[in-house]
Amino acid sequence: MSYMKPNFLLSTPAAERLYFDYAKDMPIFDYHCHLPERQILENLPCADLCDLWLSGDHYKWRLMRNYGIDEAYVTGKKSPEERFVAFCKVLGTAYGNPIYHWSQLEIESFFDCELEINEANAPAILAQCNSYIRENGVTPQKLIERSNVRALCTTNEVFDDLTVFDRIAENGYGFRVMPAFRGDKIMNIDASDYRAQLDRLAALTHPIKGLEDLESALELRLLEFRKRGTCACDISVERVYAIPSEEEADRVLQTVLNGQAPTAAEAETFKGYLTYFLMKLYAKHNLATELHVGAMRNNNAVMLSKIGADTGFDSISDANSITLMSRLFDRLNSEGALPRTIVFNLNPKMNAEIMALIGCFQSGEARGKLQYGAAWWFLDNKVGMERHLEDLTATGHIAAFVGMLTDSRSLLSYPRHHYFRRILCNYLGGMMSRGEMTSDEKAVGEVVRDVCYRNSIRYFGLDRDPFFQN
């Protein structure tokens, strides 16, 4: 039997009541994930737990590498069963790692399997879960609906095929799937394949011979995204860069259009301008921005060349850009063009700095117009979430918080919302039990419901849509 009991992560009676009476049954709006929309459209029966767990999940891959597992068992040519047993062996002693908790939650939540995950139990777990998958015809739709997901936003580059979303809408699922607009491949002008990415955008819009053409093409694509329900836009940079003039940014673009590679300084110039332009564009169309900062990507050049990006070789950057972030927000605010913005920070040393900064740009336009986003990636764990809540309540307002997201490529990731909800309820329940806040559980419970779901629906402008009102 599993170590995981009903009061998992809930250390007080008040915390238990907050979770079971208020948080547990709230719907999920996953406003930022990386699920492949085509997989949701095709809705094919899931193959087995090996595929669901280990295909494309770099969180699990990193954990296996940390234990010294050979890459053949991680992303290599070992059989699915051999990879599965290796993962269970690793997980059996990964105490305190969030994957240790998430994985146990996943097999219990989706497949009614209460066996404790370890090497000895691996064959029985695989047999039981695969039997469940076959007997119940498990599909992406069923996994998402079983998780009580009302809507999710996939993350899509500007040239992605949006007709997929039209066809998903025709399927009549019990949840909405909306594309979030992401311009990373157009922003990363120093990428070796940048011209190819620019050509993909031009093929969908018009020839791009300079910065003005690029700006027009990006807005045309954003309008196409809006037709598919887009309510969120994503920007990911290691750090915020200074805002140059249009002329400086155009000179960098012309350099690349002329077949030359930009210098590092020129690439930063272009990224600084594109960040500013895109946020201004999102404000124009009343769309929320998700600004991700602090990831240092592709550290291992050998593995990048072997298996590509987004495979578990990114880390936390120490590049502190709080001053430039201030200048960005102030410039946009002064121009009446600062969008609703969620700042996702990967470097915990900047938590208090970012919380203090976003408090300078709030307004009556939205509750928590600027948000300190949920603990993300390497901070997406018990310690990171608790620290996030401490920093948020110390210098911000918990009742305005838009709550959790998965940021995942896995269909089994939705128990992470309940991992967060338990930590949230334990945090508030602990303060209630210590006499540090009101004992009015009904009032606190409504705040919990807001953080779990209602705040995010309001923040992204979906609260007036009848689909989200029941």
Side-chain angles (χ1 to χ4, degrees), residues 359-399:
C360 301
F361 296 98
Q362 305 293 8
S363 76
E365 298 170 57
R367 180 188 293 179
K369 177 181 176 179
L370 266 66
Q371 291 272 334
Y372 174 45
W376 167 53
W377 202 344
F378 297 109
L379 311 182
D380 186 6
N381 49 59
K382 182 174 181 287
V383 172
M385 289 182 185
E386 289 174 342
R387 180 168 179 177
H388 171 274
L389 290 170
E390 289 171 357
D391 290 336
L392 175 62
T393 53
T395 55
H397 201 305
I398 185 68

mmCIF file of all heavy atoms in Angstrom, residues 359-399:
data_model
loop_
_atom_site.group_PDB
_atom_site.id
_atom_site.type_symbol
_atom_site.label_atom_id
_atom_site.label_comp_id
_atom_site.label_asym_id
_atom_site.label_seq_id
_atom_site.Cartn_x
_atom_site.Cartn_y
_atom_site.Cartn_z
ATOM 1 N N GLY A 359 4.469 45.516 -7.199
ATOM 2 C CA GLY A 359 3.580 46.339 -6.396
ATOM 3 C C GLY A 359 3.572 47.799 -6.808
ATOM 4 O O GLY A 359 2.680 48.553 -6.415
ATOM 5 N N CYS A 360 4.552 48.198 -7.613
ATOM 6 C CA CYS A 360 4.637 49.592 -8.069
ATOM 7 C C CYS A 360 3.748 49.864 -9.278
ATOM 8 O O CYS A 360 3.568 51.039 -9.642
ATOM 9 C CB CYS A 360 6.077 49.940 -8.431
ATOM 10 S SG CYS A 360 7.263 49.754 -7.081
ATOM 11 N N PHE A 361 3.187 48.825 -9.899
ATOM 12 C CA PHE A 361 2.462 49.020 -11.158
ATOM 13 C C PHE A 361 1.061 48.412 -11.131
ATOM 14 O O PHE A 361 0.508 48.095 -12.175
ATOM 15 C CB PHE A 361 3.278 48.424 -12.315
ATOM 16 C CG PHE A 361 4.592 49.117 -12.535
ATOM 17 C CD1 PHE A 361 5.766 48.593 -12.009
ATOM 18 C CD2 PHE A 361 4.655 50.317 -13.239
ATOM 19 C CE1 PHE A 361 6.979 49.236 -12.204
ATOM 20 C CE2 PHE A 361 5.861 50.972 -13.421
ATOM 21 C CZ PHE A 361 7.034 50.432 -12.908
ATOM 22 N N GLN A 362 0.482 48.277 -9.940
ATOM 23 C CA GLN A 362 -0.880 47.776 -9.851
ATOM 24 C C GLN A 362 -1.868 48.896 -10.169
ATOM 25 O O GLN A 362 -1.530 50.082 -10.109
ATOM 26 C CB GLN A 362 -1.150 47.209 -8.451
ATOM 27 C CG GLN A 362 -0.168 46.138 -8.001
ATOM 28 C CD GLN A 362 -0.265 44.853 -8.813
ATOM 29 O OE1 GLN A 362 -0.961 44.772 -9.818
ATOM 30 N NE2 GLN A 362 0.468 43.826 -8.382
ATOM 31 N N SER A 363 -3.084 48.506 -10.530
ATOM 32 C CA SER A 363 -4.114 49.506 -10.811
ATOM 33 C C SER A 363 -5.480 48.858 -10.675
ATOM 34 O O SER A 363 -5.593 47.630 -10.485
ATOM 35 C CB SER A 363 -3.954 50.075 -12.231
ATOM 36 O OG SER A 363 -4.427 49.143 -13.194
ATOM 37 N N GLY A 364 -6.522 49.664 -10.796
ATOM 38 C CA GLY A 364 -7.879 49.153 -10.696
ATOM 39 C C GLY A 364 -8.347 48.412 -11.937
ATOM 40 O O GLY A 364 -9.483 47.936 -11.983
ATOM 41 N N GLU A 365 -7.480 48.286 -12.948
ATOM 42 C CA GLU A 365 -7.864 47.563 -14.170
ATOM 43 C C GLU A 365 -8.133 46.093 -13.899
ATOM 44 O O GLU A 365 -8.955 45.470 -14.570
ATOM 45 C CB GLU A 365 -6.747 47.671 -15.216
ATOM 46 C CG GLU A 365 -6.436 49.078 -15.672
ATOM 47 C CD GLU A 365 -5.173 49.102 -16.509
ATOM 48 O OE1 GLU A 365 -5.138 48.378 -17.523
ATOM 49 O OE2 GLU A 365 -4.213 49.814 -16.149
ATOM 50 N N ALA A 366 -7.426 45.532 -12.941
ATOM 51 C CA ALA A 366 -7.579 44.111 -12.641
ATOM 52 C C ALA A 366 -7.085 43.855 -11.229
ATOM 53 O O ALA A 366 -6.178 44.542 -10.748
ATOM 54 C CB ALA A 366 -6.784 43.248 -13.624
ATOM 55 N N ARG A 367 -7.686 42.885 -10.573
ATOM 56 C CA ARG A 367 -7.194 42.473 -9.269
ATOM 57 C C ARG A 367 -5.853 41.785 -9.477
ATOM 58 O O ARG A 367 -5.761 40.740 -10.107
ATOM 59 C CB ARG A 367 -8.184 41.502 -8.618
ATOM 60 C CG ARG A 367 -7.744 41.005 -7.244
ATOM 61 C CD ARG A 367 -8.657 39.905 -6.737
ATOM 62 N NE ARG A 367 -9.997 40.394 -6.464
ATOM 63 C CZ ARG A 367 -10.987 39.618 -6.027
ATOM 64 N NH1 ARG A 367 -10.783 38.309 -5.866
ATOM 65 N NH2 ARG A 367 -12.179 40.134 -5.792
ATOM 66 N N GLY A 368 -4.806 42.413 -8.941
ATOM 67 C CA GLY A 368 -3.467 41.876 -9.173
ATOM 68 C C GLY A 368 -3.082 41.980 -10.626
ATOM 69 O O GLY A 368 -2.725 40.973 -11.252
ATOM 70 N N LYS A 369 -3.134 43.191 -11.186
ATOM 71 C CA LYS A 369 -2.809 43.363 -12.608
ATOM 72 C C LYS A 369 -1.446 42.756 -12.928
ATOM 73 O O LYS A 369 -1.280 42.057 -13.923
ATOM 74 C CB LYS A 369 -2.830 44.848 -12.982
ATOM 75 C CG LYS A 369 -2.439 45.099 -14.429
ATOM 76 C CD LYS A 369 -2.429 46.568 -14.786
ATOM 77 C CE LYS A 369 -1.937 46.773 -16.214
ATOM 78 N NZ LYS A 369 -1.928 48.208 -16.613
ATOM 79 N N LEU A 370 -0.456 43.037 -12.098
ATOM 80 C CA LEU A 370 0.837 42.373 -12.212
ATOM 81 C C LEU A 370 0.899 41.289 -11.150
ATOM 82 O O LEU A 370 0.599 41.528 -9.979
ATOM 83 C CB LEU A 370 1.993 43.359 -12.053
ATOM 84 C CG LEU A 370 2.525 43.916 -13.382
ATOM 85 C CD1 LEU A 370 1.488 44.783 -14.072
ATOM 86 C CD2 LEU A 370 3.821 44.684 -13.185
ATOM 87 N N GLN A 371 1.246 40.094 -11.570
ATOM 88 C CA GLN A 371 1.225 38.917 -10.719
ATOM 89 C C GLN A 371 2.626 38.354 -10.531
ATOM 90 O O GLN A 371 3.450 38.360 -11.456
ATOM 91 C CB GLN A 371 0.355 37.824 -11.363
ATOM 92 C CG GLN A 371 -1.119 38.111 -11.411
ATOM 93 C CD GLN A 371 -1.829 37.659 -10.157
ATOM 94 O OE1 GLN A 371 -1.386 36.737 -9.461
ATOM 95 N NE2 GLN A 371 -2.946 38.312 -9.858
ATOM 96 N N TYR A 372 2.853 37.828 -9.339
ATOM 97 C CA TYR A 372 4.052 37.047 -9.071
ATOM 98 C C TYR A 372 3.673 35.594 -9.297
ATOM 99 O O TYR A 372 2.976 34.979 -8.499
ATOM 100 C CB TYR A 372 4.485 37.299 -7.633
ATOM 101 C CG TYR A 372 5.623 36.476 -7.109
ATOM 102 C CD1 TYR A 372 6.768 36.266 -7.867
ATOM 103 C CD2 TYR A 372 5.574 35.935 -5.829
ATOM 104 C CE1 TYR A 372 7.821 35.524 -7.375
ATOM 105 C CE2 TYR A 372 6.622 35.192 -5.323
ATOM 106 C CZ TYR A 372 7.736 34.989 -6.086
ATOM 107 O OH TYR A 372 8.777 34.248 -5.591
ATOM 108 N N GLY A 373 4.059 35.051 -10.451
ATOM 109 C CA GLY A 373 3.576 33.748 -10.893
ATOM 110 C C GLY A 373 3.956 32.604 -9.974
ATOM 111 O O GLY A 373 4.905 32.687 -9.184
ATOM 112 N N ALA A 374 3.200 31.530 -10.070
ATOM 113 C CA ALA A 374 3.413 30.350 -9.227
ATOM 114 C C ALA A 374 4.842 29.834 -9.339
ATOM 115 O O ALA A 374 5.524 30.036 -10.340
ATOM 116 C CB ALA A 374 2.428 29.256 -9.638
ATOM 117 N N ALA A 375 5.290 29.155 -8.280
ATOM 118 C CA ALA A 375 6.624 28.545 -8.275
ATOM 119 C C ALA A 375 6.771 27.670 -9.513
ATOM 120 O O ALA A 375 5.958 26.795 -9.768
ATOM 121 C CB ALA A 375 6.812 27.740 -6.999
ATOM 122 N N TRP A 376 7.847 27.891 -10.259
ATOM 123 C CA TRP A 376 7.958 27.392 -11.628
ATOM 124 C C TRP A 376 9.190 26.519 -11.788
ATOM 125 O O TRP A 376 10.260 26.809 -11.264
ATOM 126 C CB TRP A 376 7.992 28.617 -12.559
ATOM 127 C CG TRP A 376 8.391 28.393 -13.968
ATOM 128 C CD1 TRP A 376 7.863 27.491 -14.835
ATOM 129 C CD2 TRP A 376 9.396 29.112 -14.703
ATOM 130 N NE1 TRP A 376 8.475 27.610 -16.072
ATOM 131 C CE2 TRP A 376 9.409 28.596 -16.014
ATOM 132 C CE3 TRP A 376 10.266 30.156 -14.385
ATOM 133 C CZ2 TRP A 376 10.274 29.070 -17.002
ATOM 134 C CZ3 TRP A 376 11.124 30.637 -15.360
ATOM 135 C CH2 TRP A 376 11.127 30.101 -16.656
ATOM 136 N N TRP A 377 9.026 25.393 -12.490
ATOM 137 C CA TRP A 377 10.111 24.538 -12.946
ATOM 138 C C TRP A 377 10.931 24.005 -11.773
ATOM 139 O O TRP A 377 10.465 23.166 -11.022
ATOM 140 C CB TRP A 377 10.961 25.298 -13.955
ATOM 141 C CG TRP A 377 11.770 24.452 -14.892
ATOM 142 C CD1 TRP A 377 12.081 23.127 -14.770
ATOM 143 C CD2 TRP A 377 12.387 24.893 -16.105
ATOM 144 N NE1 TRP A 377 12.857 22.711 -15.830
ATOM 145 C CE2 TRP A 377 13.060 23.762 -16.660
ATOM 146 C CE3 TRP A 377 12.457 26.110 -16.766
ATOM 147 C CZ2 TRP A 377 13.789 23.844 -17.863
ATOM 148 C CZ3 TRP A 377 13.175 26.185 -17.953
ATOM 149 C CH2 TRP A 377 13.834 25.062 -18.489
ATOM 150 N N PHE A 378 12.165 24.497 -11.567
ATOM 151 C CA PHE A 378 12.989 23.991 -10.485
ATOM 152 C C PHE A 378 12.472 24.411 -9.111
ATOM 153 O O PHE A 378 12.943 23.895 -8.091
ATOM 154 C CB PHE A 378 14.437 24.463 -10.665
ATOM 155 C CG PHE A 378 15.083 23.932 -11.915
ATOM 156 C CD1 PHE A 378 15.357 24.765 -12.986
ATOM 157 C CD2 PHE A 378 15.398 22.590 -12.028
ATOM 158 C CE1 PHE A 378 15.941 24.275 -14.143
ATOM 159 C CE2 PHE A 378 15.990 22.081 -13.183
ATOM 160 C CZ PHE A 378 16.257 22.931 -14.244
ATOM 161 N N LEU A 379 11.542 25.336 -9.072
ATOM 162 C CA LEU A 379 10.935 25.779 -7.812
ATOM 163 C C LEU A 379 9.573 25.141 -7.596
ATOM 164 O O LEU A 379 8.920 25.395 -6.586
ATOM 165 C CB LEU A 379 10.806 27.306 -7.796
ATOM 166 C CG LEU A 379 12.058 28.101 -8.172
ATOM 167 C CD1 LEU A 379 11.794 29.593 -8.056
ATOM 168 C CD2 LEU A 379 13.234 27.690 -7.298
ATOM 169 N N ASP A 380 9.148 24.310 -8.535
ATOM 170 C CA ASP A 380 7.825 23.692 -8.503
ATOM 171 C C ASP A 380 7.864 22.454 -7.596
ATOM 172 O O ASP A 380 7.768 21.318 -8.047
ATOM 173 C CB ASP A 380 7.429 23.311 -9.942
ATOM 174 C CG ASP A 380 6.012 22.791 -10.042
ATOM 175 O OD1 ASP A 380 5.293 22.818 -9.035
ATOM 176 O OD2 ASP A 380 5.635 22.334 -11.130
ATOM 177 N N ASN A 381 8.027 22.709 -6.297
ATOM 178 C CA ASN A 381 8.152 21.644 -5.310
ATOM 179 C C ASN A 381 7.678 22.185 -3.962
ATOM 180 O O ASN A 381 7.338 23.369 -3.842
ATOM 181 C CB ASN A 381 9.602 21.147 -5.226
ATOM 182 C CG ASN A 381 10.593 22.289 -5.085
ATOM 183 O OD1 ASN A 381 10.525 23.062 -4.138
ATOM 184 N ND2 ASN A 381 11.521 22.413 -6.037
ATOM 185 N N LYS A 382 7.634 21.355 -2.956
ATOM 186 C CA LYS A 382 7.099 21.765 -1.655
ATOM 187 C C LYS A 382 7.865 22.964 -1.095
ATOM 188 O O LYS A 382 7.271 23.961 -0.659
ATOM 189 C CB LYS A 382 7.144 20.591 -0.678
ATOM 190 C CG LYS A 382 6.567 20.877 0.708
ATOM 191 C CD LYS A 382 6.532 19.601 1.536
ATOM 192 C CE LYS A 382 5.937 19.851 2.915
ATOM 193 N NZ LYS A 382 6.870 20.611 3.782
ATOM 194 N N VAL A 383 9.184 22.892 -1.105
ATOM 195 C CA VAL A 383 9.994 23.986 -0.571
ATOM 196 C C VAL A 383 9.774 25.257 -1.376
ATOM 197 O O VAL A 383 9.569 26.350 -0.819
ATOM 198 C CB VAL A 383 11.490 23.602 -0.564
ATOM 199 C CG1 VAL A 383 12.355 24.799 -0.185
ATOM 200 C CG2 VAL A 383 11.729 22.444 0.394
ATOM 201 N N GLY A 384 9.793 25.142 -2.724
ATOM 202 C CA GLY A 384 9.619 26.312 -3.573
ATOM 203 C C GLY A 384 8.245 26.936 -3.438
ATOM 204 O O GLY A 384 8.107 28.165 -3.420
ATOM 205 N N MET A 385 7.210 26.101 -3.353
ATOM 206 C CA MET A 385 5.848 26.624 -3.212
ATOM 207 C C MET A 385 5.650 27.305 -1.862
ATOM 208 O O MET A 385 5.004 28.363 -1.775
ATOM 209 C CB MET A 385 4.833 25.505 -3.392
ATOM 210 C CG MET A 385 4.715 24.992 -4.812
ATOM 211 S SD MET A 385 3.457 23.702 -4.925
ATOM 212 C CE MET A 385 3.673 23.204 -6.636
ATOM 213 N N GLU A 386 6.184 26.711 -0.812
ATOM 214 C CA GLU A 386 6.048 27.335 0.510
ATOM 215 C C GLU A 386 6.784 28.668 0.559
ATOM 216 O O GLU A 386 6.271 29.652 1.111
ATOM 217 C CB GLU A 386 6.576 26.385 1.584
ATOM 218 C CG GLU A 386 5.666 25.178 1.806
ATOM 219 C CD GLU A 386 6.245 24.153 2.756
ATOM 220 O OE1 GLU A 386 7.482 24.185 2.996
ATOM 221 O OE2 GLU A 386 5.475 23.311 3.256
ATOM 222 N N ARG A 387 7.962 28.708 -0.043
ATOM 223 C CA ARG A 387 8.704 29.979 -0.066
ATOM 224 C C ARG A 387 7.964 31.008 -0.908
ATOM 225 O O ARG A 387 7.912 32.192 -0.548
ATOM 226 C CB ARG A 387 10.105 29.754 -0.622
ATOM 227 C CG ARG A 387 10.937 31.027 -0.665
ATOM 228 C CD ARG A 387 12.393 30.732 -0.949
ATOM 229 N NE ARG A 387 13.172 31.963 -1.021
ATOM 230 C CZ ARG A 387 14.497 32.011 -1.205
ATOM 231 N NH1 ARG A 387 15.177 30.878 -1.303
ATOM 232 N NH2 ARG A 387 15.131 33.167 -1.264
ATOM 233 N N HIS A 388 7.394 30.570 -2.021
ATOM 234 C CA HIS A 388 6.610 31.470 -2.868
ATOM 235 C C HIS A 388 5.449 32.069 -2.078
ATOM 236 O O HIS A 388 5.199 33.283 -2.133
ATOM 237 C CB HIS A 388 6.081 30.706 -4.075
ATOM 238 C CG HIS A 388 5.099 31.467 -4.910
ATOM 239 N ND1 HIS A 388 3.751 31.490 -4.634
ATOM 240 C CD2 HIS A 388 5.269 32.234 -6.016
ATOM 241 C CE1 HIS A 388 3.131 32.244 -5.524
ATOM 242 N NE2 HIS A 388 4.030 32.695 -6.375
ATOM 243 N N LEU A 389 4.712 31.236 -1.348
ATOM 244 C CA LEU A 389 3.575 31.732 -0.573
ATOM 245 C C LEU A 389 4.028 32.679 0.531
ATOM 246 O O LEU A 389 3.359 33.681 0.818
ATOM 247 C CB LEU A 389 2.800 30.549 0.017
ATOM 248 C CG LEU A 389 2.034 29.699 -1.000
ATOM 249 C CD1 LEU A 389 1.503 28.432 -0.345
ATOM 250 C CD2 LEU A 389 0.892 30.490 -1.637
ATOM 251 N N GLU A 390 5.164 32.387 1.148
ATOM 252 C CA GLU A 390 5.685 33.284 2.180
ATOM 253 C C GLU A 390 6.034 34.650 1.600
ATOM 254 O O GLU A 390 5.686 35.697 2.165
ATOM 255 C CB GLU A 390 6.922 32.655 2.833
ATOM 256 C CG GLU A 390 6.602 31.458 3.712
ATOM 257 C CD GLU A 390 7.852 30.727 4.176
ATOM 258 O OE1 GLU A 390 8.967 31.141 3.753
ATOM 259 O OE2 GLU A 390 7.724 29.759 4.943
ATOM 260 N N ASP A 391 6.718 34.654 0.453
ATOM 261 C CA ASP A 391 7.089 35.925 -0.179
ATOM 262 C C ASP A 391 5.858 36.666 -0.689
ATOM 263 O O ASP A 391 5.769 37.895 -0.588
ATOM 264 C CB ASP A 391 8.058 35.679 -1.336
ATOM 265 C CG ASP A 391 9.432 35.239 -0.863
ATOM 266 O OD1 ASP A 391 9.788 35.553 0.287
ATOM 267 O OD2 ASP A 391 10.142 34.580 -1.632
ATOM 268 N N LEU A 392 4.909 35.915 -1.233
ATOM 269 C CA LEU A 392 3.702 36.534 -1.763
ATOM 270 C C LEU A 392 2.892 37.195 -0.659
ATOM 271 O O LEU A 392 2.453 38.343 -0.796
ATOM 272 C CB LEU A 392 2.859 35.478 -2.480
ATOM 273 C CG LEU A 392 1.485 35.915 -3.007
ATOM 274 C CD1 LEU A 392 1.635 37.012 -4.049
ATOM 275 C CD2 LEU A 392 0.746 34.729 -3.602
ATOM 276 N N THR A 393 2.680 36.489 0.441
ATOM 277 C CA THR A 393 1.867 37.063 1.515
ATOM 278 C C THR A 393 2.614 38.162 2.263
ATOM 279 O O THR A 393 1.997 39.082 2.800
ATOM 280 C CB THR A 393 1.431 35.976 2.509
ATOM 281 O OG1 THR A 393 2.575 35.241 2.961
ATOM 282 C CG2 THR A 393 0.458 35.004 1.857
ATOM 283 N N ALA A 394 3.942 38.102 2.290
ATOM 284 C CA ALA A 394 4.717 39.105 3.020
ATOM 285 C C ALA A 394 4.672 40.468 2.350
ATOM 286 O O ALA A 394 4.656 41.505 3.034
ATOM 287 C CB ALA A 394 6.166 38.648 3.159
ATOM 288 N N THR A 395 4.641 40.491 1.021
ATOM 289 C CA THR A 395 4.727 41.779 0.320
ATOM 290 C C THR A 395 3.614 41.990 -0.697
ATOM 291 O O THR A 395 3.581 43.029 -1.360
ATOM 292 C CB THR A 395 6.087 41.912 -0.394
ATOM 293 O OG1 THR A 395 6.275 40.787 -1.262
ATOM 294 C CG2 THR A 395 7.222 41.975 0.601
ATOM 295 N N GLY A 396 2.705 41.020 -0.841
ATOM 296 C CA GLY A 396 1.612 41.142 -1.800
ATOM 297 C C GLY A 396 0.286 40.798 -1.180
ATOM 298 O O GLY A 396 0.071 41.004 0.016
ATOM 299 N N HIS A 397 -0.614 40.228 -1.980
ATOM 300 C CA HIS A 397 -1.968 39.920 -1.504
ATOM 301 C C HIS A 397 -2.384 38.554 -2.021
ATOM 302 O O HIS A 397 -2.614 38.380 -3.222
ATOM 303 C CB HIS A 397 -2.945 41.004 -1.976
ATOM 304 C CG HIS A 397 -4.198 41.067 -1.167
ATOM 305 N ND1 HIS A 397 -5.011 39.972 -0.965
ATOM 306 C CD2 HIS A 397 -4.783 42.097 -0.484
ATOM 307 C CE1 HIS A 397 -6.036 40.320 -0.213
ATOM 308 N NE2 HIS A 397 -5.920 41.598 0.104
ATOM 309 N N ILE A 398 -2.490 37.580 -1.113
ATOM 310 C CA ILE A 398 -2.780 36.209 -1.488
ATOM 311 C C ILE A 398 -4.121 36.077 -2.205
ATOM 312 O O ILE A 398 -4.280 35.257 -3.108
ATOM 313 C CB ILE A 398 -2.747 35.292 -0.229
ATOM 314 C CG1 ILE A 398 -2.936 33.817 -0.606
ATOM 315 C CG2 ILE A 398 -3.802 35.723 0.784
ATOM 316 C CD1 ILE A 398 -1.813 33.218 -1.383
ATOM 317 N N ALA A 399 -5.099 36.919 -1.844
ATOM 318 C CA ALA A 399 -6.442 36.775 -2.411
ATOM 319 C C ALA A 399 -6.512 37.201 -3.868
ATOM 320 O O ALA A 399 -7.513 36.944 -4.546
ATOM 321 C CB ALA A 399 -7.459 37.555 -1.587
#
